[in-house]
Amino acid sequence: MYITNQSIDLLLQDIFVKKLHNYLSHFEYREQQLIMAKKILDGFTESKKLIIEAPTGIGKSLAYLVPAVLYVKAINKNTRVIISTYTKTLQQQLINKDLPVVSQLIRDLIDEEIRYTAFFGSENYVCLNRLYEFKSELLTTNEFIKLQSIEEWLQHSETGCVEEIKSVDMELWQEINREVDLCRGKHCKFYDQCYYYKKLSTLKFMDIIIVNHHLFFANIISSNRFLPKNNQETEEIIVFDEAHNLGNVILQWLGHEVSNTQLKYLCNQIYNLKKQRGLVTKLKSLPESWKQNTINSVANLVAAIGQFFSELNTKIPEGKFEFRVFTAGIVEDVLTPALTELLTQFKSAKNMVKTDEEMFKINSYTRRILNFISIINLWLKCENIKDYIYWVEKEETKRKTLKITLRITPLEIAQEMQEKIYSIYDKILFTSATLCVNKKYDFFKLSVGLQPEITPYVSTTEQLTLNSPFDYKKNVVLYLPENIPDPRQEYDLYKVVILDVIKNLLELTQGDTFVLFTSFELMNWIANNIKTQLKIFIQSTSKYKLLEEFKNTRNAVLFGVDTFWQGVDIPGEKLISIIIPKLPFDVPDHPVTEAKTEKMQLEGKDPFKEYLLPNAIIKLKQGFGRLIRRNTDWGLISILDPRIRTKWYGKFFLNSLPECRITSDISIVEQFYNNKKKNGC
């Protein structure tokens, strides 16, 4: 069905004003949602790139889904929409909640069917060939039991995707999931049954494909290996939701990394010294002498990994988790000789293997080893430091082991973004609740390479900032206590003072609180010193597990860092207070932050005003946004950093937040809280 632009505009208005409430019992018409939908439909029709900040409560998912579907079904049927999100939570909301409603609506209105699906990275799908091979191993009793549960699940699964499993042992999953370079495609004996390829074959028939940012850019970097290729017959629209996270994902995919855990995983795949199994035991045609030499090479590599990363760890200053590298050969290179020794073994095997499948595996692992050697050599040479940041990052894993990663991060992304994205896709929507700073989008544009002077394809970019539909003046009090020491000048005294403030706020609300920290050090210090009968959950295990425990516990408090500032949705009185001890400025000596500020200084720019401050404002807006998720929500926001009142830049933070009541008087906070509780709000 094809209709005119004028009639489709009227149809769009009719949908939001009169129709949607028939499909969603809780739906409320919001003018901002309709404004956003009209802007998006116009942008798609006129081939524009749009940036839209849509605060929580507007309903941005429906605001882009409805015009996207109308465009596909009523304007240009040779169109595919790829929606990219940052979190799996939003992917699940779109596929299970929003799209079924929009699909039924469009079917009723214009008698058109919408074909849509979610697609995940290949590692999320079971590989039947690897499963078959794993079953032939000498499994422990525990492994056998876990494998049985996987096989029972597969008897009923239509997707073979790990997303269907509530709880899965990741060590087991890594033994049986699909790995791109180990897949034989049509040459695999399980090809006709393969869950991944069955799913992949359906994508070209879809109107809407939902992916995440990581898969989207993995597809771009690999020259469209994972999604249907863009061609002249099919137009593609790209929607980046949760777009405030795009910049970090882009830097990751345009850079390089290798970690001790990746190298250990390589060793275990070739031959697990503890379990005495791996690729070596599966290559039946190779002589025992080759196998023993390869096992010895694996053992040498394991030792080299330990030596290299232990020495590297000593170079990282105590208490630091990131360390920037400026000079070549910061540690002795024992890794590439050990990897080269292993590589020699695999090259020699090519003359001895007798089956195509064995040759395929030898070639796959040869490429893996070569890739690791290439990245490690690049990192150790530390060349072209004007364009790349060489650094080390360390973190503690869930198993309390130390993960150390060598990273190479580009300083500029605009040129590559133009070549790989902006010159190819005319219609792109960037949207999030937090994209602009002081009503400007300069910081966001810089983070995703939308720079007109470098990328001529972005000259048609348009922006829209929408107002929130929530009544923050009525339902939120922003508490800015006085007499708090400056954390930059009197940090020890600051900690002692805010400890009492946090304790008093927790006693007032009796829990139902997030305390959002900017560092583990401060979080752990407060947790160790606070005296309270309330149940405190401290970020350590998975985010989702911790959230479920928080939701299901009375008088609970959650102490979180970084990931809890965003992507968390807890409506109602389970979350009525958010405490933010410090303004969320990036650590100035983080390698990426440091390198970017240096570059801006050389260009005559002010890195604080143009980078550090905007980044902190965006993060504060994200943290603030956890509180009010629906019209009936209310609560307290407490910012315990005096700089928001005493420094010149404090007004920029406040101007970027929703307009609400601001006070430094704790009695007003108590009165607000007690009145809301008394009135049953």
Side-chain angles (χ1 to χ4, degrees):
M1 176 180 179
Y2 291 86
I3 52 183
T4 65
N5 287 346
Q6 184 178 6
S7 60
I8 202 169
D9 196 54
L10 292 173
L11 178 59
L12 191 64
Q13 180 161 328
D14 190 52
I15 286 172
F16 284 99
V17 177
K18 299 179 181 179
K19 303 294 185 186
L20 268 172
H21 74 89
N22 295 322
Y23 297 83
L24 290 166
S25 58
H26 60 278
F27 180 79
E28 297 176 358
Y29 166 68
R30 296 184 180 117
E31 182 185 12
Q32 299 95 327
Q33 190 178 42
L34 178 58
I35 292 171
M36 180 176 176
K38 285 184 175 181
K39 185 72 171 179
I40 290 169
L41 187 58
D42 289 342
F44 291 164
T45 305
E46 298 170 18
S47 297
K48 293 179 179 178
K49 294 174 177 65
L50 301 173
I51 305 173
I52 300 179
E53 179 172 278
T56 302
I58 283 176
K60 69 180 184 304
S61 299
L62 289 176
Y64 63 69
L65 285 176
V66 173
V69 169
L70 285 176
Y71 185 90
V72 170
K73 291 302 178 182
I75 296 178
N76 185 357
K77 288 195 174 185
N78 294 320
T79 303
R80 179 187 301 122
V81 181
I82 296 177
I83 299 173
S84 179
T85 76
Y86 186 69
T87 62
K88 289 182 178 179
T89 302
L90 181 53
Q91 281 181 293
Q92 291 164 353
Q93 175 194 314
L94 291 171
I95 205 74
N96 297 322
K97 180 182 174 184
D98 297 332
L99 273 167
V101 170
V102 176
S103 179
Q104 183 63 51
L105 172 72
I106 297 301
R107 188 185 302 121
D108 293 344
L109 286 179
I110 59 175
D111 195 26
E112 290 280 358
E113 291 290 332
I114 305 171
R115 298 160 298 181
Y116 59 88
T117 191
F119 191 54
F120 301 93
S122 67
E123 72 279 359
N124 290 280
Y125 295 88
V126 70
C127 172
L128 296 175
N129 189 52
R130 295 189 74 203
L131 176 65
Y132 173 80
E133 290 183 346
F134 186 67
K135 286 171 64 176
S136 66
E137 301 277 3
L138 293 174
L139 304 180
T140 65
T141 302
N142 193 35
E143 286 174 329
F144 181 77
I145 293 170
K146 290 177 180 177
L147 189 60
Q148 276 188 318
S149 68
I150 293 289
E151 291 187 301
E152 288 172 7
W153 159 63
L154 285 175
Q155 289 177 6
H156 308 286
S157 176
E158 294 183 3
T159 69
C161 182
V162 71
E163 287 297 304
E164 292 182 353
I165 309 174
K166 290 183 178 180
S167 178
V168 64
D169 182 275
M170 292 312 297
E171 188 174 348
L172 170 65
W173 185 254
Q174 286 183 331
E175 298 273 10
I176 62 173
N177 69 342
R178 181 181 183 272
E179 295 190 355
V180 176
D181 60 343
L182 294 180
C183 177
R184 296 199 69 200
K186 293 181 179 179
H187 300 290
C188 176
K189 59 187 174 185
F190 293 101
Y191 178 75
D192 291 336
Q193 303 161 250
C194 178
Y195 291 99
Y196 177 81
Y197 279 106
K198 283 182 181 178
K199 188 70 174 181
L200 191 63
S201 67
T202 68
L203 297 187
K204 60 185 176 183
F205 303 110
M206 294 293 142
D207 300 311
I208 296 177
I209 303 172
I210 301 169
V211 300
N212 63 31
H213 297 338
H214 287 277
L215 177 56
F216 181 87
F217 283 97
N219 181 63
I220 295 297
I221 297 300
S222 66
S223 301
N224 292 95
R225 287 179 62 189
F226 309 123
L227 294 173
K229 285 182 170 57
N230 190 20
N231 55 57
Q232 292 180 347
E233 290 76 31
T234 304
E235 182 181 44
E236 285 193 334
I237 293 172
I238 309 299
V239 175
F240 289 117
D241 201 343
E242 301 178 309
H244 60 280
N245 285 300
L246 265 181
N248 290 332
V249 176
I250 293 168
L251 286 176
Q252 180 179 336
W253 281 102
L254 295 184
H256 303 283
E257 66 175 61
V258 59
S259 67
N260 59 338
T261 56
Q262 288 174 318
L263 291 169
K264 288 175 183 176
Y265 180 62
L266 172 73
C267 292
N268 286 335
Q269 281 192 303
I270 295 172
Y271 187 78
N272 189 310
L273 297 168
K274 182 179 179 180
K275 296 180 179 179
Q276 297 187 333
R277 67 182 191 220
L279 176 68
V280 169
T281 59
K282 296 172 185 175
L283 298 172
K284 304 300 182 184
S285 66
L286 290 170
E288 289 301 317
S289 59
W290 181 90
K291 293 181 180 180
Q292 188 55 56
N293 288 336
T294 302
I295 291 170
N296 293 340
S297 294
V298 169
N300 291 339
L301 179 55
V302 169
I305 294 167
Q307 179 183 338
F308 182 91
F309 286 97
S310 292
E311 184 179 348
L312 186 58
N313 191 33
T314 64
K315 304 289 183 180
I316 304 173
E318 188 175 349
K320 299 284 290 181
F321 293 92
E322 301 90 13
F323 177 63
R324 190 174 172 194
V325 178
F326 295 93
T327 56
I330 186 173
V331 291
E332 181 186 356
D333 181 14
V334 295
L335 271 184
T336 56
L339 281 163
T340 303
E341 178 188 325
L342 189 59
L343 179 66
T344 302
Q345 281 298 114
F346 275 84
K347 286 182 175 179
S348 69
K350 293 181 180 182
N351 299 320
M352 294 183 278
V353 293
K354 297 178 180 177
T355 68
D356 289 342
E357 186 167 346
E358 288 187 335
M359 179 60 80
F360 177 80
K361 289 178 179 177
I362 289 295
N363 286 333
S364 295
Y365 279 93
T366 298
R367 286 191 294 271
R368 282 192 186 188
I369 297 167
L370 281 168
N371 184 55
F372 281 131
I373 291 173
S374 174
I375 296 173
I376 293 166
N377 274 329
L378 274 175
W379 190 87
L380 284 168
K381 287 178 181 177
C382 199
E383 296 175 335
N384 198 11
I385 59 173
K386 290 183 179 180
D387 297 322
Y388 291 92
I389 310 158
Y390 297 84
W391 56 295
V392 189
E393 181 180 52
K394 70 175 184 178
E395 58 184 308
E396 193 177 81
T397 68
K398 293 177 183 178
R399 296 188 173 189
K400 305 299 181 183
T401 58
L402 197 61
K403 177 182 178 182
I404 301 179
T405 306
L406 315 180
R407 296 193 182 277
I408 304 173
T409 303
L411 263 170
E412 287 290 350
I413 62 169
Q415 197 64 47
E416 281 206 72
M417 287 297 289
Q418 172 181 299
E419 293 171 4
K420 293 180 168 65
I421 307 289
Y422 303 137
S423 64
I424 297 171
Y425 302 103
D426 293 325
K427 305 171 182 3
I428 303 178
L429 167 65
F430 303 90
T431 187
S432 168
T434 54
L435 292 180
C436 70
V437 175
N438 205 28
K439 303 194 184 303
K440 294 181 179 179
Y441 290 89
D442 297 355
F443 176 73
F444 172 74
K445 288 181 177 180
L446 184 66
S447 74
V448 297
L450 278 167
Q451 296 163 259
E453 68 275 14
I454 300 174
T455 54
Y457 292 96
V458 303
S459 58
T460 55
T461 300
E462 290 191 5
Q463 298 144 200
L464 173 65
T465 306
L466 296 163
N467 296 323
S468 173
F470 295 146
D471 189 347
Y472 284 94
K473 283 186 177 180
K474 177 182 177 183
N475 291 319
V476 175
V477 164
L478 175 58
Y479 177 46
L480 307 177
E482 295 177 332
N483 302 318
I484 306 264
D486 189 320
R488 294 190 64 186
Q489 298 174 3
E490 301 176 280
Y491 185 58
D492 289 338
L493 180 59
Y494 158 82
K495 289 195 296 184
V496 173
V497 173
I498 67 164
L499 180 67
D500 279 339
V501 177
I502 293 171
K503 180 182 176 183
N504 292 337
L505 288 168
L506 294 182
E507 287 179 353
L508 171 65
T509 62
Q510 285 298 293
D512 302 324
T513 298
F514 273 9
V515 187
L516 300 177
F517 294 90
T518 57
S519 72
F520 281 96
E521 181 273 328
L522 181 58
M523 178 180 75
N524 292 330
W525 189 89
I526 296 292
N528 291 333
N529 288 278
I530 199 164
K531 307 298 182 185
T532 178
Q533 299 299 312
L534 302 173
K535 175 63 177 177
I536 295 180
F537 293 100
I538 303 171
Q539 182 176 340
S540 57
T541 57
S542 78
K543 173 180 177 178
Y544 301 101
K545 182 180 178 182
L546 207 61
L547 282 175
E548 288 305 308
E549 290 176 341
F550 173 82
K551 290 177 186 177
N552 296 320
T553 304
R554 292 185 62 187
N555 306 119
V557 181
L558 192 148
F559 282 12
V561 176
D562 197 36
T563 57
F564 287 94
W565 286 75
Q566 61 180 322
V568 176
D569 190 359
I570 305 180
E573 291 196 8
K574 189 59 202 170
L575 181 59
I576 54 175
S577 175
I578 291 177
I579 302 171
I580 298 173
K582 281 183 70 179
L583 293 174
F585 285 106
D586 280 348
V587 179
D589 58 355
H590 184 285
V592 175
T593 304
E594 184 180 70
K596 285 188 175 184
T597 56
E598 288 172 357
K599 185 176 185 298
M600 294 178 81
Q601 285 173 334
L602 288 173
E603 294 170 346
K605 299 176 181 177
D606 186 332
F608 183 81
K609 286 184 178 180
E610 297 182 46
Y611 178 62
L612 294 171
L613 181 59
N615 203 34
I617 289 172
I618 291 288
K619 190 166 183 179
L620 183 66
K621 289 172 68 176
Q622 280 288 325
F624 190 104
R626 298 315 96 211
L627 187 66
I628 304 297
R629 310 301 294 177
R630 60 188 185 190
N631 280 327
T632 55
D633 287 351
W634 60 275
L636 310 169
I637 298 279
S638 304
I639 300 176
L640 313 186
D641 191 325
R643 292 175 293 177
I644 200 168
R645 292 184 300 99
T646 61
K647 299 295 183 180
W648 62 267
Y649 52 77
K651 63 183 178 182
F652 293 106
F653 281 102
L654 294 175
N655 290 342
S656 294
L657 297 177
E659 191 175 352
C660 55
R661 283 190 284 172
I662 301 175
T663 184
S664 297
D665 187 344
I666 188 63
S667 66
I668 292 177
V669 174
E670 292 169 348
Q671 183 182 31
F672 168 80
Y673 172 81
N674 290 328
N675 286 341
K676 287 290 185 181
K677 275 294 186 181
K678 181 180 179 181
N679 294 328
C681 294

